[in-house]
Amino acid sequence: MGKAKGNITNWKLYNSALKQRGSLTFWMDEKAIELWNNTERSGRRGRSHTYSDTAIATALMIKGVFKLPLRALEGFINSLFRLLKVDLKSPDYSCISKRAKTVEVNYRLPSQGQAAHLVIDATGLKVFGEGEWKVRKHGAEKRRVWRKLHMAVDAQSHQIVSAEVSMDWVHDSEVLPTLLRPLRRKVKAVSADGAYDTRQSYQEVQRKKAVALIPPRKNAGMWEAGHPRNVAVKALKQGELENWKRDNAYHLRSLSETAMYRFKQLLSDKLSLRCYNAQVGEIMAGVCALNKMSRLGMPARQLAE
């Protein structure tokens, strides 16, 4: 990936946001403290949860941001409450591990009007296995296991507006309906790579009344007359696919890859919890943490004339 073009026009704000990411009180904010203890009855037999979903999600976010194992996480949160002089207690490390399987992480912001451009992609997160260098150098000796994180990113705000987790054998295009259907926002355009060049993907994008910007495969053929995909196929056969991408701002799709890079760099490309449902909670807490960082401030660039 080449060097970003243009100067950052909001450097002071962005510089402050970068420093604020390391603030303990930013992650353990007043809202989390206020909603720490559970006040709702489960309606089922047995005692209700002591800690709210907000408490478990906050703990998982702190775990990801500061890269702590569960036992160290419990001690970290308890010490933080002592420093803040707050009469609260961290959930037990075993409680965090169990509740991660069922926690509801609210990573979505309230609807903010139409999303001009939604970019979609997927990436792998390692559960366990050997490192990339060792596999390239000496070959794989142990089984490597991955989970896939599918993300839909608003190209303007850099917020992850929809996210899903799947097993590594699930095809990217199969998850597209799950990403788009819960959205209540109007979407003008959806960009994705060639893995989403399927009829189901086009149907889902058309259901949102949006324009599908998906490059066809190299051996793609025309579909029925009048289908919007035929424009891209025609450009491919005439050797003008790059012009089609530029004219439709398809290259904004790289922002989804940027979001995946930020997730792996700021949080981790590995999962520490072993149960699949707990891994989903761990990943969604990471998505929530990434969105929280983005809301602090993102760089705005003035492109050179």
Side-chain angles (χ1 to χ4, degrees):
M1 184 176 294
K3 184 178 179 181
K5 298 179 181 179
N7 297 322
I8 297 178
T9 58
N10 62 337
W11 174 248
K12 185 176 181 179
L13 174 63
Y14 182 51
N15 189 48
S16 175
L18 292 176
K19 292 185 287 186
Q20 185 68 5
R21 290 179 184 180
S23 170
L24 296 179
T25 54
F26 171 69
W27 297 106
M28 188 63 71
D29 56 16
E30 293 181 1
K31 183 179 179 180
I33 292 173
E34 181 183 352
L35 301 176
W36 193 258
N37 292 319
N38 181 42
T39 58
E40 299 179 358
R41 293 184 178 273
S42 65
R44 294 173 292 182
R45 295 180 61 184
R47 190 181 67 178
S48 299
H49 292 311
T50 303
Y51 302 99
S52 66
D53 277 357
T54 300
I56 302 301
T58 301
L60 290 174
M61 282 194 287
I62 293 174
K63 175 184 181 299
V65 171
F66 295 101
K67 299 175 176 58
L68 297 169
L70 288 175
R71 289 174 174 83
L73 174 63
E74 180 184 346
F76 184 90
I77 294 175
N78 280 330
S79 66
L80 183 56
F81 282 146
R82 285 195 296 270
L83 290 172
L84 294 173
K85 297 180 180 180
V86 176
D87 187 22
L88 291 175
K89 184 180 179 181
S90 169
D92 184 82
Y93 66 88
S94 61
C95 173
I96 299 174
S97 179
K98 292 175 182 177
R99 289 284 303 279
K101 301 174 185 178
T102 59
V103 64
E104 292 289 337
V105 181
N106 184 19
Y107 66 89
R108 289 190 176 96
L109 285 174
S111 180
Q112 298 179 334
Q114 178 176 270
H117 205 130
L118 210 60
V119 292
I120 294 176
D121 211 341
T123 188
L125 300 173
K126 187 184 294 182
V127 178
F128 55 83
E130 300 163 316
E132 305 300 320
W133 179 87
K134 190 269 176 189
V135 172
R136 285 198 305 269
K137 190 74 174 178
H138 303 291
E141 296 177 358
K142 299 179 182 178
R143 183 170 62 97
R144 299 197 295 172
V145 179
W146 301 79
R147 300 289 180 256
K148 289 177 76 172
L149 169 60
H150 308 259
M151 295 187 298
V153 182
D154 186 342
Q156 183 175 4
S157 65
H158 298 271
Q159 293 285 309
I160 301 172
V161 298
S162 189
E164 284 294 329
V165 181
S166 73
M167 307 297 281
D168 57 351
W169 61 76
V170 177
H171 195 274
D172 293 356
S173 62
E174 296 179 51
V175 186
L176 184 66
T178 315
L179 289 173
L180 293 182
R181 288 179 184 178
L183 297 180
R184 295 294 176 263
R185 301 174 63 183
K186 292 182 178 180
V187 180
K188 187 175 180 181
V190 175
S191 289
D193 60 25
Y196 297 85
D197 183 28
T198 64
R199 289 187 179 274
Q200 183 187 29
S201 296
Y202 274 91
Q203 289 170 0
E204 289 299 327
V205 175
Q206 288 173 348
R207 186 176 284 113
K208 293 293 294 183
K209 298 180 180 179
V211 178
L213 302 176
I214 304 173
R217 300 167 188 177
K218 293 181 179 179
N219 59 346
M222 293 287 190
W223 286 356
E224 62 271 15
H227 197 285
R229 175 179 178 270
N230 291 342
V231 177
V233 175
K234 184 178 179 180
L236 171 67
K237 294 183 180 299
Q238 294 177 349
E240 298 177 352
L241 190 61
E242 286 301 318
N243 294 335
W244 175 86
K245 291 180 179 180
R246 184 174 58 253
D247 294 342
N248 291 281
Y250 169 78
H251 293 293
L252 286 174
R253 193 196 63 81
S254 64
L255 294 176
S256 62
E257 298 178 1
T258 302
M260 294 185 295
Y261 174 81
R262 291 173 58 236
F263 187 99
K264 293 182 177 182
Q265 289 295 311
L266 298 176
L267 299 166
S268 178
D269 61 347
K270 298 179 181 179
L271 302 174
S272 62
L273 302 181
R274 289 294 173 255
C275 173
Y276 175 76
N277 289 337
Q279 291 163 2
V280 173
E282 183 180 8
I283 293 171
M284 289 304 180
V287 170
C288 187
L290 200 61
N291 277 348
K292 195 169 182 178
M293 292 181 189
S294 299
R295 291 197 293 272
L296 281 172
M298 294 293 290
R301 295 185 181 273
Q302 178 66 48
L303 297 179
E305 295 293 340

